[in-house]
Coordinates of all heavy atoms in Angstrom, one line a residue:
M74 N 0.8 -1.2 0.0 CA 0.0 0.0 0.0 C 0.9 1.3 0.0 O 0.6 2.2 -0.8 CB -0.9 0.0 1.2 CG -1.7 1.2 1.4 SD -2.9 1.4 0.1 CE -3.8 2.8 0.7
I75 N 1.9 1.3 0.9 CA 2.7 2.6 1.0 C 3.5 2.7 -0.3 O 3.5 3.8 -0.9 CB 3.7 2.5 2.2 CG1 2.9 2.4 3.5 CG2 4.6 3.6 2.2 CD1 2.0 3.6 3.8
Q76 N 4.1 1.7 -0.9 CA 4.8 1.8 -2.1 C 3.9 2.4 -3.2 O 4.3 3.2 -4.0 CB 5.4 0.5 -2.6 CG 6.4 0.6 -3.7 CD 7.1 -0.7 -4.1 OE1 6.8 -1.7 -3.4 NE2 7.9 -0.7 -5.0
G77 N 2.7 1.9 -3.3 CA 1.7 2.3 -4.3 C 1.3 3.8 -4.1 O 1.3 4.5 -5.1
C78 N 1.3 4.2 -2.9 CA 1.0 5.6 -2.6 C 2.2 6.5 -3.0 O 1.9 7.6 -3.6 CB 0.7 5.7 -1.1 SG -0.8 5.2 -0.5
N79 N 3.4 6.0 -2.8 CA 4.5 6.8 -3.2 C 4.5 7.1 -4.7 O 4.8 8.2 -5.2 CB 5.8 6.1 -2.8 CG 6.1 6.1 -1.4 OD1 5.5 6.9 -0.6 ND2 7.1 5.3 -0.9
A80 N 4.2 6.0 -5.5 CA 4.2 6.2 -6.9 C 3.1 7.1 -7.3 O 3.2 8.0 -8.2 CB 3.9 4.8 -7.6
D81 N 2.0 7.1 -6.7 CA 0.8 8.0 -7.0 C 1.1 9.4 -6.7 O 1.0 10.3 -7.6 CB -0.4 7.6 -6.2 CG -1.0 6.3 -6.6 OD1 -0.7 5.8 -7.7 OD2 -1.9 5.7 -5.9
F82 N 1.7 9.7 -5.5 CA 2.0 11.1 -5.3 C 3.2 11.6 -6.1 O 3.2 12.8 -6.3 CB 2.1 11.4 -3.7 CG 3.4 11.2 -3.0 CD1 4.4 12.0 -3.3 CD2 3.6 10.1 -2.2 CE1 5.7 11.9 -2.6 CE2 4.8 9.9 -1.5 CZ 5.8 10.8 -1.8
C83 N 4.1 10.8 -6.3 CA 5.2 11.3 -7.3 C 4.7 11.7 -8.6 O 5.1 12.6 -9.2 CB 6.3 10.2 -7.4 SG 7.5 10.3 -6.1
K84 N 3.8 10.8 -9.1 CA 3.2 11.2 -10.5 C 2.5 12.5 -10.4 O 2.6 13.3 -11.3 CB 2.2 10.0 -10.9 CG 2.9 8.8 -11.4 CD 1.9 7.8 -11.9 CE 2.1 6.5 -11.2 NZ 1.1 5.5 -11.5
I85 N 1.7 12.7 -9.4 CA 0.9 13.9 -9.2 C 1.9 15.1 -9.0 O 1.7 16.1 -9.6 CB 0.0 13.8 -8.0 CG1 -1.1 12.9 -8.3 CG2 -0.6 15.2 -7.6 CD1 -1.9 12.5 -7.0
A86 N 3.0 14.9 -8.2 CA 4.0 15.9 -8.0 C 4.7 16.3 -9.3 O 4.9 17.5 -9.6 CB 5.0 15.5 -7.0
L87 N 5.0 15.3 -10.2 CA 5.5 15.6 -11.5 C 4.7 16.5 -12.4 O 5.1 17.4 -13.0 CB 5.9 14.3 -12.2 CG 7.1 13.5 -11.7 CD1 7.1 12.1 -12.3 CD2 8.4 14.2 -12.0
I88 N 3.4 16.2 -12.3 CA 2.5 17.0 -13.1 C 2.4 18.4 -12.6 O 2.4 19.4 -13.3 CB 1.0 16.3 -13.0 CG1 1.1 15.0 -13.9 CG2 0.0 17.3 -13.6 CD1 -0.1 14.2 -13.7
M89 N 2.3 18.5 -11.2 CA 2.3 19.8 -10.6 C 3.5 20.6 -10.8 O 3.6 21.8 -11.1 CB 2.0 19.6 -9.1 CG 0.6 19.1 -8.8 SD 0.4 18.6 -7.0 CE 0.3 20.2 -6.3
L90 N 4.7 20.0 -10.8 CA 6.0 20.6 -11.0 C 6.1 21.2 -12.4 O 6.5 22.2 -12.7 CB 7.1 19.7 -10.8 CG 7.5 19.5 -9.3 CD1 8.5 18.3 -9.1 CD2 8.3 20.8 -8.9
R91 N 5.6 20.3 -13.4 CA 5.6 20.7 -14.8 C 4.7 21.9 -15.0 O 5.1 22.9 -15.8 CB 5.2 19.5 -15.7 CG 5.1 19.8 -17.2 CD 6.3 20.4 -17.8 NE 7.4 19.4 -17.9 CZ 8.6 19.8 -18.0 NH1 9.1 21.0 -18.1 NH2 9.6 18.8 -17.9
K92 N 3.6 21.9 -14.4 CA 2.7 23.0 -14.5 C 3.3 24.3 -13.9 O 3.2 25.4 -14.5 CB 1.3 22.8 -13.9 CG 0.5 21.8 -14.7 CD -0.8 21.6 -13.9 CE -1.7 20.6 -14.8 NZ -3.0 20.5 -14.1
W93 N 4.0 24.1 -12.8 CA 4.7 25.3 -12.2 C 5.7 25.9 -13.1 O 5.9 27.1 -13.3 CB 5.2 24.9 -10.8 CG 6.0 26.1 -10.2 CD1 5.5 27.1 -9.6 CD2 7.4 26.1 -10.1 NE1 6.5 27.9 -9.2 CE2 7.7 27.3 -9.4 CE3 8.4 25.3 -10.4 CZ2 9.0 27.7 -9.1 CZ3 9.7 25.7 -10.2 CH2 10.0 26.9 -9.5
I94 N 6.6 25.0 -13.7 CA 7.6 25.3 -14.5 C 7.1 26.1 -15.8 O 7.6 27.2 -16.1 CB 8.5 24.1 -15.0 CG1 9.2 23.5 -13.8 CG2 9.4 24.4 -16.2 CD1 9.9 22.2 -14.0
N95 N 6.1 25.6 -16.4 CA 5.5 26.2 -17.6 C 4.9 27.5 -17.2 O 5.0 28.5 -18.0 CB 4.5 25.2 -18.2 CG 5.2 24.0 -18.9 OD1 6.4 24.0 -19.2 ND2 4.4 22.9 -19.1
K96 N 4.1 27.5 -16.2 CA 3.3 28.8 -15.8 C 4.3 29.9 -15.5 O 3.9 31.1 -15.8 CB 2.5 28.5 -14.5 CG 1.7 29.6 -14.0 CD 0.9 29.3 -12.8 CE 0.3 30.5 -12.2 NZ -0.3 30.3 -10.9
N97 N 5.5 29.6 -15.0 CA 6.4 30.7 -14.6 C 7.5 30.8 -15.7 O 8.5 31.6 -15.4 CB 7.0 30.3 -13.3 CG 6.0 30.5 -12.2 OD1 5.6 31.6 -11.8 ND2 5.5 29.4 -11.7
G98 N 7.3 30.4 -16.8 CA 8.3 30.5 -17.9 C 9.7 30.0 -17.6 O 10.7 30.7 -18.1
L99 N 9.8 28.9 -17.0 CA 11.1 28.4 -16.6 C 11.6 27.2 -17.3 O 12.5 26.5 -16.9 CB 11.1 28.0 -15.0 CG 10.7 29.1 -14.1 CD1 10.5 28.7 -12.7 CD2 11.7 30.3 -14.1
R100 N 11.0 27.0 -18.4 CA 11.3 25.7 -19.2 C 12.8 25.7 -19.6 O 13.5 24.7 -19.8 CB 10.5 25.6 -20.5 CG 9.0 25.3 -20.1 CD 8.2 25.1 -21.2 NE 8.5 23.8 -21.8 CZ 8.1 23.4 -22.9 NH1 7.2 24.1 -23.6 NH2 8.4 22.1 -23.3
D101 N 13.4 26.9 -19.8 CA 14.8 26.9 -20.2 C 15.8 26.9 -19.0 O 17.0 26.8 -19.1 CB 15.1 28.1 -21.0 CG 14.9 29.5 -20.4 OD1 14.0 29.5 -19.5 OD2 15.5 30.5 -20.8
K102 N 15.2 27.0 -17.7 CA 16.0 27.1 -16.5 C 15.9 26.0 -15.5 O 16.8 25.7 -14.7 CB 15.6 28.4 -15.8 CG 16.0 29.7 -16.5 CD 15.7 30.9 -15.7 CE 16.1 32.2 -16.5 NZ 15.9 33.4 -15.8
V103 N 14.8 25.3 -15.6 CA 14.5 24.2 -14.7 C 14.0 23.0 -15.5 O 13.1 23.1 -16.3 CB 13.4 24.5 -13.7 CG1 13.1 23.4 -12.8 CG2 13.7 25.8 -13.0
H104 N 14.8 21.8 -15.3 CA 14.4 20.6 -16.0 C 14.2 19.4 -15.0 O 15.0 19.2 -14.1 CB 15.6 20.2 -16.9 CG 15.9 21.3 -17.9 ND1 16.9 22.2 -17.7 CD2 15.2 21.7 -19.1 CE1 16.9 23.0 -18.8 NE2 15.9 22.7 -19.6
L105 N 13.1 18.8 -15.2 CA 12.8 17.5 -14.5 C 13.8 16.5 -15.1 O 13.7 16.2 -16.3 CB 11.3 17.1 -14.7 CG 10.3 18.1 -14.0 CD1 9.0 17.7 -14.5 CD2 10.5 18.0 -12.5
Y106 N 14.7 16.0 -14.4 CA 15.7 15.2 -14.9 C 15.4 13.6 -14.6 O 15.8 12.9 -15.6 CB 17.0 15.6 -14.2 CG 18.3 14.9 -14.8 CD1 18.7 15.3 -16.0 CD2 18.9 14.0 -14.1 CE1 19.8 14.7 -16.5 CE2 20.0 13.4 -14.5 CZ 20.5 13.7 -15.7 OH 21.6 13.1 -16.2
L107 N 15.0 13.3 -13.4 CA 14.9 11.9 -13.2 C 13.8 11.7 -12.1 O 13.7 12.5 -11.1 CB 16.2 11.3 -12.7 CG 16.3 9.9 -12.3 CD1 16.2 9.0 -13.4 CD2 17.7 9.7 -11.5
Q108 N 13.1 10.6 -12.2 CA 12.0 10.2 -11.2 C 12.3 8.8 -11.0 O 12.2 8.0 -11.9 CB 10.6 10.5 -11.7 CG 9.7 10.3 -10.5 CD 9.1 9.0 -10.4 OE1 8.8 8.3 -11.4 NE2 8.9 8.4 -9.2
L109 N 12.6 8.4 -9.7 CA 12.8 7.0 -9.4 C 12.2 6.7 -8.0 O 12.5 7.3 -7.0 CB 14.4 6.7 -9.3 CG 14.7 5.4 -9.0 CD1 14.3 4.3 -10.0 CD2 16.3 5.3 -8.8
H110 N 11.2 5.8 -8.0 CA 10.4 5.5 -6.8 C 9.8 6.7 -6.2 O 8.9 7.3 -6.8 CB 11.3 4.7 -5.8 CG 11.9 3.5 -6.4 ND1 11.1 2.4 -6.7 CD2 13.1 3.2 -6.6 CE1 11.9 1.4 -7.2 NE2 13.1 1.8 -7.1
D111 N 10.3 7.2 -5.1 CA 9.7 8.4 -4.4 C 10.7 9.6 -4.5 O 10.6 10.5 -3.7 CB 9.3 8.1 -3.0 CG 10.4 7.7 -2.1 OD1 11.5 7.4 -2.7 OD2 10.3 7.6 -0.9
E112 N 11.6 9.5 -5.5 CA 12.5 10.6 -5.7 C 12.4 11.3 -7.0 O 12.2 10.7 -8.0 CB 14.0 10.1 -5.6 CG 15.1 11.0 -5.8 CD 16.4 10.4 -5.6 OE1 16.6 9.6 -4.7 OE2 17.3 10.7 -6.5
I113 N 12.5 12.7 -6.9 CA 12.5 13.4 -8.2 C 13.7 14.3 -8.2 O 14.0 15.0 -7.3 CB 11.2 14.4 -8.2 CG1 9.9 13.6 -8.2 CG2 11.3 15.4 -9.4 CD1 8.7 14.4 -8.2
T114 N 14.4 14.2 -9.3 CA 15.7 15.0 -9.5 C 15.4 16.0 -10.5 O 14.9 15.7 -11.6 CB 16.8 14.1 -9.9 OG1 17.0 13.0 -9.0 CG2 18.1 14.8 -10.0
L115 N 15.8 17.3 -10.2 CA 15.7 18.3 -11.1 C 17.1 19.0 -11.4 O 17.9 18.9 -10.4 CB 14.8 19.4 -10.6 CG 13.3 19.1 -10.3 CD1 13.1 18.7 -8.9 CD2 12.4 20.2 -10.7
T116 N 17.2 19.6 -12.4 CA 18.4 20.4 -12.6 C 17.9 21.8 -12.9 O 16.8 22.1 -13.5 CB 19.3 19.9 -13.9 OG1 18.4 20.0 -15.1 CG2 19.8 18.5 -13.7
C117 N 18.8 22.8 -12.5 CA 18.4 24.2 -12.7 C 19.6 25.1 -12.5 O 20.7 24.5 -12.1 CB 17.4 24.7 -11.7 SG 18.0 24.7 -10.0
H118 N 19.5 26.3 -12.9 CA 20.6 27.2 -12.8 C 20.9 27.4 -11.3 O 19.9 27.4 -10.5 CB 20.2 28.6 -13.4 CG 20.1 28.6 -14.8 ND1 20.3 29.7 -15.6 CD2 19.9 27.6 -15.8 CE1 20.2 29.4 -16.9 NE2 20.0 28.1 -17.0
K119 N 22.1 27.5 -10.9 CA 22.5 27.7 -9.6 C 21.8 28.8 -8.8 O 21.4 28.7 -7.6 CB 24.0 27.9 -9.5 CG 24.7 27.6 -8.2 CD 26.1 27.7 -8.3 CE 26.8 26.8 -7.3 NZ 28.2 26.6 -7.4
D120 N 21.6 29.9 -9.5 CA 21.0 31.1 -8.9 C 19.5 30.9 -8.5 O 18.8 31.6 -7.8 CB 21.1 32.4 -9.7 CG 20.5 32.2 -11.0 OD1 20.4 31.1 -11.6 OD2 20.0 33.3 -11.6
M121 N 18.9 29.7 -9.1 CA 17.5 29.4 -8.9 C 17.3 28.3 -7.9 O 16.2 27.9 -7.5 CB 16.8 29.1 -10.2 CG 16.7 30.3 -11.1 SD 15.3 30.1 -12.2 CE 14.0 29.8 -11.1
S122 N 18.4 27.7 -7.4 CA 18.4 26.4 -6.7 C 17.5 26.5 -5.4 O 16.7 25.5 -5.1 CB 19.7 25.9 -6.4 OG 20.5 26.7 -5.6
E123 N 17.6 27.5 -4.6 CA 16.9 27.6 -3.4 C 15.4 27.8 -3.7 O 14.5 27.2 -2.9 CB 17.3 28.8 -2.5 CG 18.8 28.6 -2.0 CD 18.9 27.6 -0.9 OE1 17.8 27.3 -0.3 OE2 19.9 27.0 -0.8
I124 N 15.0 28.5 -4.7 CA 13.6 28.7 -5.0 C 13.1 27.3 -5.5 O 11.9 27.0 -5.1 CB 13.4 29.8 -6.2 CG1 13.8 31.1 -5.6 CG2 12.0 29.8 -6.7 CD1 14.0 32.2 -6.6
V125 N 13.7 26.7 -6.4 CA 13.3 25.4 -7.0 C 13.2 24.4 -5.9 O 12.2 23.6 -5.8 CB 14.2 24.9 -8.1 CG1 13.9 23.5 -8.6 CG2 14.1 25.9 -9.3
L126 N 14.1 24.3 -5.0 CA 14.1 23.4 -3.8 C 12.9 23.6 -3.0 O 12.1 22.7 -2.7 CB 15.3 23.6 -2.9 CG 15.4 22.7 -1.7 CD1 15.7 21.2 -2.1 CD2 16.4 23.1 -0.8
A127 N 12.6 24.9 -2.5 CA 11.4 25.2 -1.7 C 10.1 24.8 -2.4 O 9.2 24.2 -1.9 CB 11.5 26.7 -1.3
K128 N 10.0 25.1 -3.7 CA 8.8 24.9 -4.5 C 8.6 23.4 -4.7 O 7.5 22.9 -4.6 CB 8.8 25.6 -5.9 CG 7.5 25.6 -6.4 CD 6.5 26.4 -5.6 CE 5.1 26.5 -6.4 NZ 4.1 27.2 -5.6
T129 N 9.7 22.7 -4.9 CA 9.6 21.2 -5.0 C 9.1 20.5 -3.8 O 8.2 19.7 -3.8 CB 11.0 20.6 -5.5 OG1 11.4 21.2 -6.7 CG2 10.9 19.1 -5.7
V130 N 9.7 21.0 -2.6 CA 9.2 20.4 -1.3 C 7.7 20.7 -1.2 O 6.9 19.8 -0.8 CB 10.1 21.0 -0.2 CG1 9.4 20.7 1.1 CG2 11.5 20.5 -0.3
E131 N 7.3 22.0 -1.4 CA 6.0 22.4 -1.2 C 5.0 21.5 -2.1 O 4.0 21.0 -1.7 CB 5.8 23.8 -1.6 CG 4.4 24.3 -1.5 CD 4.2 25.7 -2.2 OE1 5.2 26.6 -2.0 OE2 3.2 26.0 -2.8
I132 N 5.4 21.3 -3.4 CA 4.6 20.6 -4.3 C 4.6 19.1 -3.9 O 3.4 18.4 -4.0 CB 5.1 20.8 -5.7 CG1 4.7 22.2 -6.2 CG2 4.6 19.7 -6.7 CD1 5.3 22.6 -7.6
M133 N 5.7 18.5 -3.6 CA 5.7 17.1 -3.2 C 4.8 16.8 -1.9 O 4.1 15.8 -1.9 CB 7.1 16.6 -3.1 CG 7.8 16.4 -4.3 SD 9.5 15.6 -4.2 CE 8.9 13.9 -3.9
E134 N 5.0 17.7 -1.0 CA 4.1 17.5 0.2 C 2.6 17.7 -0.1 O 1.7 17.0 0.5 CB 4.6 18.4 1.4 CG 5.9 18.0 1.9 CD 6.4 18.9 3.0 OE1 5.9 20.0 3.3 OE2 7.5 18.5 3.7
S135 N 2.3 18.6 -1.0 CA 0.9 18.8 -1.4 C 0.4 17.7 -2.1 O -0.7 17.3 -1.9 CB 0.9 20.1 -2.3 OG -0.4 20.4 -2.7
A136 N 1.2 17.1 -3.1 CA 0.7 15.9 -3.8 C 0.5 14.7 -2.8 O -0.4 14.0 -2.9 CB 1.8 15.5 -4.8
A137 N 1.4 14.6 -1.8 CA 1.4 13.5 -0.8 C 0.0 13.7 0.0 O -0.7 12.7 0.3 CB 2.5 13.4 0.1
S138 N -0.3 14.9 0.3 CA -1.5 15.1 1.1 C -2.7 14.8 0.3 O -3.8 14.4 0.9 CB -1.5 16.5 1.7 OG -1.8 17.4 0.6
L139 N -2.7 15.0 -0.9 CA -3.9 14.6 -1.8 C -4.1 13.1 -1.8 O -5.2 12.6 -1.8 CB -3.6 15.0 -3.2 CG -3.7 16.5 -3.5 CD1 -3.3 16.8 -4.9 CD2 -5.1 17.1 -3.2
V140 N -3.0 12.3 -1.9 CA -3.1 10.9 -1.9 C -3.4 10.3 -0.4 O -4.3 9.4 -0.3 CB -1.8 10.2 -2.4 CG1 -1.8 8.8 -2.3 CG2 -1.6 10.7 -3.9
L141 N -2.6 10.8 0.5 CA -2.8 10.2 1.8 C -3.9 10.9 2.7 O -4.2 10.3 3.8 CB -1.5 10.4 2.6 CG -0.3 9.7 2.0 CD1 1.0 10.1 2.7 CD2 -0.4 8.2 1.9
K142 N -4.4 11.9 2.3 CA -5.6 12.6 3.0 C -5.1 13.2 4.3 O -5.9 13.3 5.3 CB -6.7 11.8 3.2 CG -7.2 11.1 1.9 CD -7.7 12.2 0.9 CE -8.4 11.5 -0.4 NZ -8.1 12.3 -1.5
N143 N -3.8 13.5 4.5 CA -3.3 14.1 5.7 C -2.0 14.8 5.4 O -1.5 14.7 4.2 CB -3.1 13.1 6.8 CG -2.1 12.0 6.6 OD1 -1.0 12.3 6.1 ND2 -2.4 10.7 6.7
T144 N -1.4 15.5 6.3 CA -0.2 16.2 6.1 C 1.0 15.7 6.8 O 1.9 16.4 7.2 CB -0.3 17.7 6.4 OG1 -0.8 17.8 7.8 CG2 -1.4 18.3 5.5
L145 N 0.9 14.4 7.2 CA 2.0 13.8 8.0 C 3.3 13.6 7.3 O 4.4 13.6 7.9 CB 1.4 12.5 8.6 CG 0.2 12.5 9.5 CD1 -0.3 11.1 9.9 CD2 0.6 13.4 10.7
L146 N 3.3 13.3 5.9 CA 4.5 13.0 5.2 C 5.2 14.4 5.0 O 4.7 15.4 4.5 CB 4.1 12.4 3.9 CG 5.4 11.9 3.1 CD1 5.1 10.6 2.5 CD2 5.7 12.9 2.0
K147 N 6.5 14.4 5.3 CA 7.4 15.4 5.1 C 8.5 15.1 4.1 O 9.0 14.0 4.1 CB 8.0 15.9 6.4 CG 7.0 16.4 7.5 CD 6.2 17.5 7.0 CE 5.1 17.9 7.9 NZ 4.0 18.7 7.3
V148 N 8.8 15.9 3.3 CA 9.8 15.8 2.2 C 11.2 16.2 2.7 O 11.4 17.2 3.3 CB 9.4 16.6 0.9 CG1 10.5 16.5 -0.2 CG2 8.1 16.1 0.4
D149 N 12.1 15.3 2.3 CA 13.6 15.6 2.6 C 14.2 15.9 1.3 O 14.1 15.1 0.4 CB 14.3 14.4 3.2 CG 15.7 14.6 3.6 OD1 16.1 15.7 3.8 OD2 16.4 13.6 3.5
A150 N 14.8 17.1 1.1 CA 15.4 17.5 -0.1 C 16.7 18.2 0.1 O 17.0 18.8 1.2 CB 14.4 18.5 -0.8
E151 N 17.5 18.2 -0.9 CA 18.8 18.8 -0.8 C 19.3 19.3 -2.1 O 18.9 18.9 -3.2 CB 19.9 17.9 -0.2 CG 20.2 16.7 -1.0 CD 21.1 15.8 -0.3 OE1 20.8 15.2 0.7 OE2 22.1 15.5 -0.9
I152 N 20.2 20.2 -2.1 CA 20.9 20.7 -3.3 C 22.2 20.1 -3.4 O 23.0 20.1 -2.4 CB 21.0 22.3 -3.2 CG1 19.6 23.0 -3.1 CG2 21.8 22.9 -4.4 CD1 19.6 24.4 -2.9
S153 N 22.6 19.7 -4.6 CA 23.9 19.0 -4.8 C 24.4 19.5 -6.2 O 23.6 19.8 -7.1 CB 23.6 17.5 -4.8 OG 24.8 16.9 -5.1
E154 N 25.7 19.5 -6.3 CA 26.3 19.7 -7.6 C 26.1 18.6 -8.6 O 26.1 18.8 -9.8 CB 27.9 20.0 -7.4 CG 28.2 21.3 -6.6 CD 27.9 22.5 -7.4 OE1 28.1 22.5 -8.6 OE2 27.5 23.5 -6.7
T155 N 26.0 17.4 -8.1 CA 25.8 16.2 -9.0 C 24.7 15.3 -8.3 O 24.5 15.5 -7.1 CB 27.0 15.4 -9.1 OG1 27.4 14.9 -7.8 CG2 28.1 16.2 -9.8
W156 N 24.1 14.5 -9.1 CA 23.1 13.6 -8.5 C 23.8 12.2 -8.3 O 23.4 11.4 -7.6 CB 21.9 13.5 -9.3 CG 22.1 13.1 -10.7 CD1 22.5 13.7 -11.8 CD2 21.9 11.7 -11.1 NE1 22.6 12.8 -12.9 CE2 22.2 11.6 -12.5 CE3 21.5 10.5 -10.5 CZ2 22.1 10.4 -13.2 CZ3 21.4 9.3 -11.2 CH2 21.7 9.3 -12.6

């Protein structure tokens, strides 16, 4: 059940992230790079990393709350030079 929920909220988060990227005209600055299990990897310009990190956490937690019907799940995210 939990593994299925992870896949569901990651798919929702990917859709929400793509909408945010497109809505804010960031297609040339932010790229969804990799999704594996419950992890989403993005690449972006260094000057945007903090904004992208915060928005990704917000979106992933929002997507999880849609699937789980609560806000108990918290996202762990970090900025790295490489993945």
